């Protein structure tokens, strides 16, 4: 196991991302969130985009997990879905590259096959973002260095899982039982109790984003609650 994973064990990874017209949607904006997260005790940062990854790398000394987000034809999110995406993240020296490990096809390859091709060509560390047990097992066989439950609820086959807005505890628990590589919990972890439960289920570490780094979204949760007071 690569030494970087020892630095992440039992720790909090903060996902610093912003989209659209969000005022934090710039390399400088997400970099400020990353620096604040470190002050709070985060052991690593996850972020999206070449420029944002490069900017964060300038300001932090902890590992940075990078990805480049795009979309499949059906509108569902795709994480680092091309060889060029991987090359861009290698260029900015991100420590771990998050790659979509689902069975959906990109560049004529499923996620596990794409990961296998990248591992054969480059010496980068790969976090496989998956949505099911079978995808996780296939990504392990393909050479992924760690897994994350990131995409549970965000693929056509699993979208019903987000109906209760809760983390996918079952997926994490089963992956931990079966995986010989680190498994990170990610997705809809919105309270400290959620994070604690994931750690008690055996997560290597916990990745939290929206509730920490998207005040616009969190504000809307409170506004909705206030408006429902009656």
């Amino acid at each position: 196991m690569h030494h970087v994973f020892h630095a992440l064990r039992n720790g909090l990874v903060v996902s610093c991302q912003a989209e659209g017209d969000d005022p934090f949607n710039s390399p400088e904006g997400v970099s400020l969130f990353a620096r604040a997260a470190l002050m709070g005790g985060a052991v690593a940062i996850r972020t999206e985009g070449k420029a944002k990854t490069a900017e964060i790398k300038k300001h932090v000394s902890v590992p940075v997990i990078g990805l480049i987000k795009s979309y499949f034809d059906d509108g569902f999110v795709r994480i680092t879905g091309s060889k060029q995406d991987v090359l861009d993240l290698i260029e900015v020296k991100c420590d771990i590259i998050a790659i979509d490990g689902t069975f959906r096809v990109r560049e004529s390859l499923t996620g596990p096959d794409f990961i296998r091709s990248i591992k054969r060509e480059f010496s980068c560390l790969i976090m496989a973002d998956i949505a099911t047990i079978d995808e996780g097992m296939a990504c392990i066989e393909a050479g992924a260095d760690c897994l994350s439950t990131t995409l549970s609820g965000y693929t056509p086959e699993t979208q019903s899982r987000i109906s209760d807005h809760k983390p996918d505890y079952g997926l994490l628990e089963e992956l931990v039982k079966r995986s010989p590589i680190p498994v990170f919990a990610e997705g809809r972890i919105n309270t400290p109790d959620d994070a604690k439960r994931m750690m008690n289920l055996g997560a290597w570490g916990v990745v939290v984003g929206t509730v920490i780094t998207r005040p616009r979204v969190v504000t809307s949760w409170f506004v909705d609650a206030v408006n429902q007071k009656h």
Side-chain angles (χ1 to χ4, degrees):
M1 184 184 301
H2 194 278
H3 66 83
V4 72
F5 293 110
H6 296 293
L8 305 187
R9 188 160 200 178
N10 299 322
L12 174 69
V13 179
V14 175
S15 182
C16 299
Q17 300 185 43
E19 299 176 337
D21 60 356
D22 192 294
F24 296 101
N25 187 18
S26 68
E28 295 76 15
V30 295
S31 175
L32 290 173
F33 269 126
R35 292 156 65 185
L38 295 192
M39 293 173 70
V43 299
I45 301 298
R46 176 170 162 130
T47 193
E48 189 278 332
K50 181 179 179 181
K52 292 170 184 172
T53 302
E55 184 67 19
I56 288 175
K57 285 287 291 181
K58 293 178 184 177
H59 297 285
V60 305
S61 57
V62 299
V64 175
I65 303 166
L67 62 103
I68 293 178
K69 188 178 292 186
S70 57
Y71 295 90
F72 287 97
D73 290 341
D74 59 7
F76 282 84
V77 69
R78 176 174 62 186
I79 306 296
T80 315
S82 71
K83 181 178 176 181
Q84 185 58 53
D85 289 343
V86 173
L87 288 169
D88 286 343
L89 293 168
I90 290 174
E91 182 180 341
V92 296
K93 297 181 171 57
C94 77
D95 301 276
I96 301 171
I97 297 175
I99 291 180
D100 190 313
T102 67
F103 289 137
R104 296 172 293 178
V105 176
R106 79 302 310 262
E107 296 194 340
S108 302
L109 298 171
T110 65
D113 287 338
F114 181 66
I115 288 171
R116 182 177 288 107
S117 71
I118 295 301
K119 291 296 287 187
R120 285 174 178 168
E121 191 167 353
F122 305 105
S123 60
C124 56
L125 295 177
I126 291 178
M127 170 181 277
D129 288 350
I130 53 84
T132 68
I133 298 295
D134 289 344
E135 290 166 352
M137 295 302 101
C139 288
I140 292 168
E141 184 180 354
D145 299 283
C146 66
L147 304 177
S148 182
T149 59
T150 315
L151 290 171
S152 174
Y154 303 101
T155 66
E157 296 78 17
T158 66
Q159 59 184 318
S160 63
R161 296 180 192 171
I162 65 174
S163 60
D164 61 0
H165 306 290
K166 298 293 185 182
D168 194 337
Y169 298 113
L171 175 61
L172 183 281
E173 186 173 19
E174 187 63 25
L175 283 172
V176 167
K177 291 177 181 177
R178 299 175 60 177
S179 173
I181 62 176
V183 182
F184 290 83
E186 182 173 6
R188 302 180 299 283
I189 300 171
N190 292 327
T191 70
D193 284 344
D194 292 338
K196 181 179 179 180
R197 182 173 175 184
M198 285 298 198
M199 292 305 300
N200 288 337
L201 289 173
W204 191 270
V206 174
V207 183
V208 177
T210 296
V211 74
I212 296 176
T213 61
R214 296 197 178 184
R216 173 181 184 168
V217 175
V218 177
T219 298
S220 73
W221 297 347
F222 281 87
V223 169
D224 289 345
V226 168
N227 289 337
Q228 294 171 11
K229 62 183 180 296
H230 299 302

